[in-house]
Amino acid sequence: MSSHPGIVEVLPMDEHNRVLVDHVHPNDWQNPKPKELYDLVVIGAGPAGLIVAAGAAGMGASVALVERHLMGGDCLNVGCVPSKCLIASGKAVGHIREADSFGVHVPEGVKVEFSEVMERMRSIRAGISHHDSAKRYTELGVDIFIGAGSFSGSDTVEVGDS
């Protein structure tokens, strides 16, 4: 079992993505010493894995959660949250284009700065990433292992470099 997971960068590595990585794949993370036996081992820290791990730990189970890349899974990192941010920006543009029908007259020349749309998305994603963080789940009593999980036997999981 690797004690230090691989270094992860999320580009562009701006202040927002640094916060994200610090929460969901801390580059200084040291995997804990594994217990002899866990009640539950969850592979994948997407929404389902996070909910199962937190729920089981809350009921007193010993839980290990293994994630090879970014906690929060696709939803936080590339799916639900980013897409909703982009959709909201698109809706704002649509409302501006339809403003005249509401008696609101917007001057010509309104433009979309895609880099600013993406920065807003990264800021929002970073701002909520603490909910899916390694620190938070450790505080909930879950042993967090960052690395690639694989079955090495009928009742054994190993964690290697991600």
Side-chain angles (χ1 to χ4, degrees):
M1 183 166 300
S2 173
S3 64
H4 187 279
I7 302 297
V8 167
E9 281 191 344
V10 176
L11 300 176
M13 202 55 170
D14 62 6
E15 70 217 56
H16 307 300
N17 281 340
R18 276 191 287 283
V19 168
L20 174 75
V21 170
D22 285 348
H23 286 154
V24 299
H25 189 122
N27 285 325
D28 61 352
W29 188 258
Q30 294 293 316
N31 286 334
K33 182 175 193 271
K35 292 179 173 65
E36 185 68 30
L37 182 66
Y38 286 94
D39 295 315
L40 177 66
V41 176
V42 179
I43 298 179
L50 292 172
I51 290 167
V52 168
M59 292 189 300
S62 63
V63 180
L65 177 59
V66 181
E67 174 55 53
R68 69 180 163 88
H69 192 48
L70 302 172
M71 294 180 67
D74 284 353
C75 186
L76 173 66
N77 297 292
V78 297
C80 308
V81 172
S83 68
K84 299 297 186 290
C85 291
L86 295 176
I87 289 167
S89 293
K91 283 183 177 181
V93 170
H95 290 309
I96 291 168
R97 288 183 179 154
E98 297 170 356
D100 281 347
S101 67
F102 291 91
V104 177
H105 304 287
V106 179
E108 292 289 325
V110 175
K111 64 179 186 171
V112 176
E113 289 292 339
F114 188 68
S115 62
E116 292 176 24
V117 169
M118 293 303 291
E119 181 175 3
R120 175 182 174 271
M121 180 278 297
R122 291 191 305 273
S123 173
I124 290 170
R125 183 177 62 184
I128 64 174
S129 64
H130 64 93
H131 295 292
D132 295 348
S133 70
K135 179 180 187 279
R136 176 174 180 241
Y137 278 79
T138 298
E139 290 170 353
L140 292 174
V142 177
D143 283 354
I144 302 296
F145 294 90
I146 297 180
S150 62
F151 291 94
S152 57
S154 62
D155 61 355
T156 308
V157 174
E158 289 186 1
V159 179
D161 291 332
S162 50

